Every structure is written in C-alpha cells, then in structure tokens.
Amino acid sequence: MDEFSFIDSIRPSYYKQPSLVKGIGDDAAVFRPSGQDVVTAVDTMVEGVHFSRKTMSPFYMGYRALAANLSDLSAMGSTPAFYLVSIVVPEEWEQEELNELYTGMKSLADEYSVDLIGGDTVSGDQLSISVTVFGYVDRGKSRYRSSAKPDDIVFVTGTLGDSRAGLEILLNDLSIDSKEAAFFIERHRRPVPRVDFAQSLLSIERVTLNDVSDGIASEAHEIAEASQVDLHLTMEDVPFTDFIKKWFNKSYKEWMLSGGEDFELIGTVAGEDWNVVEEAAKECGISITKIGTVKEMAHEQPEVYIYENNEKKKLMKSGYTHLKRGE
Amino acid sequence: MDEFSFIDSIRPSYYKQPSLVKGIGDDAAVFRPSGQDVVTAVDTMVEGVHFSRKTMSPFYMGYRALAANLSDLSAMGSTPAFYLVSIVVPEEWEQEELNELYTGMKSLADEYSVDLIGGDTVSGDQLSISVTVFGYVDRGKSRYRSSAKPDDIVFVTGTLGDSRAGLEILLNDLSIDSKEAAFFIERHRRPVPRVDFAQSLLSIERVTLNDVSDGIASEAHEIAEASQVDLHLTMEDVPFTDFIKKWFNKSYKEWMLSGGEDFELIGTVAGEDWNVVEEAAKECGISITKIGTVKEMAHEQPEVYIYENNEKKKLMKSGYTHLKRGE
C-alpha cells in the first residue's frame, strides 16, 4: 500500500474547524487554540480482541473507534474538534473496505464538525485502529473524576447493558428480525457519545464525569478512587431498557454493571445543581437517572457499595458483588 | 494485562511542561497553550514490518518510535512538549520488556523535557507502537513543504545512508567489533531528531523543512510537489560518512537517496539566509550541506533532477535515476 497516496486520497476538500491552520499533507497538522484548554486522548481497537468481522463491518469498526474517543472527550466536558487515525491493515484488506472504515468514522465526525487532520496507514497482520482526538474546553472547566464530594448525587445517562446485549445477539446469531434486537445491535455498533449533553452542563461549576466504557462498576470505582470518597448505588435505580429483561433475564443485571461499551456518562453533582443536569438531559433528548449518593470514606480505602433488596453489598470493579456482613 | 494499572504504574511523579493541566489518570489529558500554535502528528511502527527483534531490543523500539515522531515535529519547526503512546502487545511479552520499551521512549523524551500524558495498552498478536506527539510553534512559524521558492538553496543536515547501513550490519550479523559498525548501528537504533537545529532557525522568516524518513529522493519530491517547483540536486554534494564507502561500496549511493530513516532534515532557504542556517548547524554541533538549488518548474509537473558526473538525471521518488536525454 502506498501510505502517502492513501491519506492524501481521503484529504477533505475543506475543513470545518476554523482553528485549523494545516491539515493533512505535511509532516504534522497545526491548529490555533484561542484561549481554551486542549483536551486529547488516544484509544486503540484491535480486530479479534475488541471486535470481529462477525459483529462489525468496516463501516462500524471506524464509527465505533471514533465514538469511543469522542466519548472520552465528552467525559472531560470537552467539545471535539479534530482527530488523527493510525491504522495497521492486513494485506487481505481491500481498498474498498478501508474506504468504508474511514467513511464510518467520517459519518460520526461530520455530526460534530470534527476534522480528520492526519494519520498513518501501515501494513501488519492484524487490523488495529488507533484514534487520537482533540477537543477544546473553557479554562478550568474540564470535568475530572477527582471532583466528587460527599452528598453529591450519582447519576447516569441513558440505559445500561444494551451494547453487551447487542454483542450477544450478534455472536450467537439470535433472531434479528425484531425491532428490539435491532435496537441492541445499533447500541453496540453505533453508540452515541454524549457530546451534546456534556456541553450543556457548562453552567455548572463542578460536575464529575466518567464515560461508561468498561461498565459502571469499574467507572464508579475510578471516581471513588480519584475523589477519595465512597459511592453508594441502588441496584433498583440503575436504568435499563424494559425488554432487556425479557431477552436476557439471567444476564442483564451483570451486563448493566460490567457489560461496558454503552458509552453513556456516569457522574456526580451537588444536589442544588441536579435540576440543571435534568434540564440538560431533557434538551438533549436523553434520559438521566439518579442511581446513588456520594459519601465520605467509611474506611481507609474508597469503596463502591450497591444496595439490592435493601441489602448492602460491596461492588467490585469487575461488577461482581458480595454481601457486606455486619456493616 | 490490566490496562489501567499499567499506564498508572508509569505515571510520572511530576511533569516538566508548565502548560500541562492534567496528565495521565483521567479520560483524557488537558494542556493550556499560551498563544502559540499546536503541532501534532501520529506515527505507527509494527514489529516484523518496521523493525524486528533481531535489530532492536524493546528499549530501542521505544526510543525509535518516539524519535520518528519528534523528527516530524522538527520538520515543522516545532518544539516538542507531550506524547501519547498506544501499544498493541502480544501475550508473550513480559512486563519487564514493556517497561524497557517505555524506558527507551522516556530516555529520549527526557532530553527535551517532553511529557508522557496518556495512552492505551491493549492485547494483540503483533507488537505495534503508535505515538502521537504535540509541540508548540510561534504563530505562523510552522515550516511547510510548500514554501520552497526558485533560487532557494537546498540543504540537508548530517550524513545520509547511515541508518540503512546499520540495518544491513544487524540483519547480516556483520562484524560489530569495530567502532565504525557501532556508529552505523547507533544511527539506526538511536537516531537523533533535529529538534535543536529546527528551533535555532526561528529568526528566518521562510525556511522549508522535511524530515528524511523515507530517503531524500522521496522527501525532495514532496517539497517539489507541495511547492510546485523543480529541485536540482548534485550527487557529489550529498553528504555521507567516509567509511560507508568502504563498507558498502556497491550500495551506499542508493542508500543515501532512498535508504531513509536517518531522520535528518532536508530543506530549502533563500540565499541571503544561508549563513543563519550554517550558524545554527554549527551551534547545534551538526554538519549542514548545500546539495542543490530550487528552480521554476520546467514542465507541467514538478520534478527532482540529480547531476552526477555532470550528467542530468531524473530522480524518481524511489531513489531510482535515469538519464534525461536531450534536455
């Protein structure tokens, strides 16, 4: 593959971001921030590890790789602006498939006027997509995991476990002749990063955000550890789609806690700002649910607890729970 | 591998760049440019394609991956500040080797006070290192390939073909009991990106820079195409290490043109600024050589010509030359 000519062939005729100075076509890209902070993250997905041909066409591989990255920017309260793509492509891949992968990314990028500003396409044995994203955020307005405080409300956007349900349907060739199956598959292949919602929280001074890539059990622990607090969640409040119970009665609870890849946002906010969060969700057309409370650390280590049937359990990072006797 | 704990385990205790707001440990990193432009590039190296265990230990794999990226920043006239690393690691890799790879990167990063601010470590079949770098450059001072003008001097730093010679020695187990072989091997494994040199050209209004990753034949074409000019080079002026001739008499000329990976800089500058370029090289302790001249396009397409024994030849991107009869 001629690396130069490929990246050149997908160079857009114009860029949407006014702060871009130089896009694809030199040794590096150049942009000019105007007083805002720059937020950046990288995320790599490998075929056979993070996805497979059975579950994703090249279009969705591309879409999802960028979605995971935009989700990270959302979790920082940042507005996405640019992305770089580095792909390792096996020989058997056709040019057409590679184009489709980039088209998948572009379909999402265009929704937020995010520009592809460079990248690298190299040969290898196993497909791997590495996306670096860049966003802007007002100075001091980045949303850290470390900002949770006792008495904060813990909330989560959307519903959980859907992506994992979609994966199950795809892996096991379960009936996809239903609207419900199609919903789960769409949630798996084409998650919507909560970019708009994160931006509409701008008026709030302090809000903690973390995106649900590994499952809320893991993300809740990240918040607890970074903020040195305990999180107390209520299982009955964790939001799910009605029909996930019908399809996957045995697994749906586990998936809600640790299925991951829903790319929703879990966060915490002071009680007096809760109405702003609710209003923001409403404006963005997504649901928002209060699932718990932040408390001071009861012990030396930050912990996440989950209440189910009025029983208090410790929630492990993995999503596994066990009873907390005598506490 | 526990992805979170690995990146966390290499989180530095402090960062050197004052403009960093948030490093490793959240959904993304945050930095605060102060009026300068931001320059960014990504580069991916795959084991078995770009390097092998035979030629590189994990330390050098890391070093070289970052060096290639800093070289891109140099070619933009930019001062490096941060990097993100995304690695696909095969199961058989030991933790110790992965640490060594990061140590290799850090050894170079520390020379320029460049901070590791995030990344991703995922499992896969084939080792692949994807580095994204960030640098600053004064507004409007980025050095583009498109800025070459007729009558410019074409120059190159250092000597060419050394990295390719080092590779040859490593691949074929040629004697490494000599200082000369060690020199070539060092040039292959531990190239020095021309960061300092590129920065000391700041007083010049216009200078074209491109880094020698694929060989000057290819890079000269990139300048010619981006600037819509012809480049006229003189083979006898292309700089090489004395003893490369002795070791590789049959190949060294080809390697000087297309061996690549020397990570020197090729550039063009107006004659009146040539003394500044010479002075900058002297200050940085590197050699600089005038190897040709920029001319207006003689035909419809930009071309690169090379003169050898007073004969004018067309220089192909690949480094291949052929006689230009009747011109």
Side-chain angles (χ1 to χ4, degrees), chain A residues 26-32 37-40 43-44 49 75-76 86 120 123 125-126 132 134 140 144-145 210-211, chain B residues 26-32 37-40 43-44 49 75-76 86 120 123 125-126 132 134 144-145 210-211:
Chain A
D26 216 293
D27 297 291
V30 183
F31 59 92
R32 183 167 299 166
D37 287 345
V38 177
V39 182
T40 184
D43 199 68
T44 299
V49 179
M76 296 298 279
S86 203
D120 204 8
S123 304
D125 299 336
Q126 190 179 26
T132 308
F134 305 80
Y144 301 129
R145 296 173 187 167
N210 199 356
D211 73 320
Chain B
D26 216 294
D27 297 291
V30 183
F31 59 92
R32 184 167 298 165
D37 287 345
V38 177
V39 182
T40 184
D43 199 68
T44 299
V49 178
M76 297 298 280
S86 204
D120 204 7
S123 304
D125 299 336
Q126 191 180 25
T132 307
F134 305 79
Y144 300 128
R145 296 173 187 167
N210 199 357
D211 74 318

Side-chain angles (χ1 to χ4, degrees), chain B residues 234-236 253 306-313:
Chain B
T234 303
M235 190 67 208
E236 286 83 358
K253 281 191 187 174
I306 192 154
Y307 295 78
E308 191 170 10
N309 303 325
N310 292 318
E311 234 168 355
K312 182 181 184 182
K313 297 171 186 175

Side-chain angles (χ1 to χ4, degrees), chain A residues 94-131:
Chain A
E94 305 286 342
Q95 185 66 48
E96 188 49 47
E97 294 170 305
L98 197 57
N99 290 343
E100 199 191 321
L101 191 153
Y102 275 91
T103 304
M105 279 193 280
K106 193 172 185 305
S107 76
L108 177 61
D110 285 350
E111 278 182 49
Y112 301 104
S113 300
V114 177
D115 288 321
L116 174 64
I117 58 171
D120 204 8
T121 311
V122 300
S123 304
D125 299 336
Q126 190 179 26
L127 184 83
S128 139
I129 314 171
S130 190
V131 179

